[in-house]
Amino acid sequence: MRFDLITLFPEMFAAVRDHGVSGRAHLRGLWSLHAWNPRDFTHDVHRTVDDRPFGGGPGMVMMAEPLAQAVRAVRDARRQAEADAPDRPAPVVLLSPAGQVHGQGLARRWAGGTGAILVCGRYEGIDQRFIDRYVDQEVSLGDFVLSGGELGAMVLIDSVVRLLPGVLHDAESAEQDSFNPALSGLLDSPHYTRPEVWDGAAVPETLLSGHHARISAWRRRQSLALTAVRRPDLLDQARKAGDLSPQDEAALAAAAALAADDKAGPGR
Ligand code: 9WO
């Protein structure tokens, strides 16, 4: 898998290239990252990549031409490297709040592809004519505004790379992640490690029991209860997908009864 970044700040991508799970996978050659600076595709002495907005208003707008030349250079390079099948060129993707909202399902789909050309905007935005001519899709990380697309691109890359075959070892496998299909799209259960008592707080005794079946059942109940409280929308989705067993429903009913007792207060 190969990601090409078009960015005024190529150095930022060391964060995802050189650290942690994605860094190790990069070292092992499971994915590659190539950053391209639109400034290198300017032809004036000031290496200008932005200009004032037509119609007025604050700030500056990224000019179309340096971005377009960068995309063309990337396409040539990807072709040379045979990074994509000739009939399936990598998509040009813009990180923008106007895009399709990214999620675990989309990350899984991306993990089955060969990567993308990610365009990271800065300033007030990008000349719309570049977007119309070159951008295949826009992706949003959520309803907030960033100072540039770079952090969004890194979030996207990290979410995809960790799903590539061979990236995670068994011990950290995505099996247990929240949103993993094995968890029916529920939130993950809480984690504990040594010591058994920390600052007066004990580890739930089931986890110390060595009973694998009881431990699995406990974790499932924790997932269900946490999801019911924090993300009822995810619980509804799991129910509609037919992923909740009669035992799950019974556990949820019991957890709801306990919560109702708590609310009623002591002695009632
Ligand atoms: C900003 C924008 C706002 C409303 C509708 C469309 C929009 N497009 C852009 C845009 O391309 N902005 C560039 C990238 C330049 C300004 C900083 N940029 C940006 C991307 N800010 N916030 C994001 C972003 C990306 C992904 N997920 C959330 C926010």
Side-chain angles (χ1 to χ4, degrees), residues 15 58 80 227 253:
Q80 293 254 298
T227 309

Side-chain angles (χ1 to χ4, degrees), residues 62 94-99 119-126 128 131 138-150 152-153:
M62 290 184 88
L94 175 68
L95 281 300
S96 130
V119 179
C120 304
R122 281 273 156 176
Y123 311 118
E124 296 303 309
I126 296 175
Q128 186 62 36
I131 298 173
E138 297 185 40
V139 172
S140 168
L141 273 305
D143 293 340
F144 45 82
V145 176
L146 300 169
S147 318
E150 286 83 1

Side-chain angles (χ1 to χ4, degrees), residues 2 36-37 74 79 112 144 182 212 253:
R2 168 173 170 153
W36 307 74
N37 193 332
V74 172
R79 206 175 297 124
F144 45 82
H212 295 304

Side-chain angles (χ1 to χ4, degrees), residues 10 15 21-22 31 62 71 120 127 140 157 177 181 186 194 197 231 236 238 241 249:
V21 166
S22 57
W31 68 287
M62 290 184 88
V71 169
C120 304
D127 190 311
S140 168
I157 290 170
D177 284 354
L186 304 177
R194 295 196 293 174
V197 178
R231 295 293 305 275
D236 286 345
E249 295 293 1

Side-chain angles (χ1 to χ4, degrees), residues 178-193:
S178 292
F179 306 117
N180 185 278
L183 267 176
S184 327
L186 304 177
L187 300 174
D188 195 6
S189 54
H191 303 278
Y192 298 87
T193 187

Side-chain angles (χ1 to χ4, degrees), residues 5 9-17 22 31 33 95 118 120 122 141 149-161:
L5 284 310
F9 300 106
E11 305 79 10
M12 286 181 72
F13 290 88
V16 65
R17 188 193 60 216
S22 57
W31 68 287
L33 185 152
L95 281 300
L118 303 177
C120 304
R122 281 273 156 176
L141 273 305
E150 286 83 1
L151 286 168
M154 284 191 269
V155 170
L156 180 75
I157 290 170
D158 186 79
S159 73
V160 173
V161 163

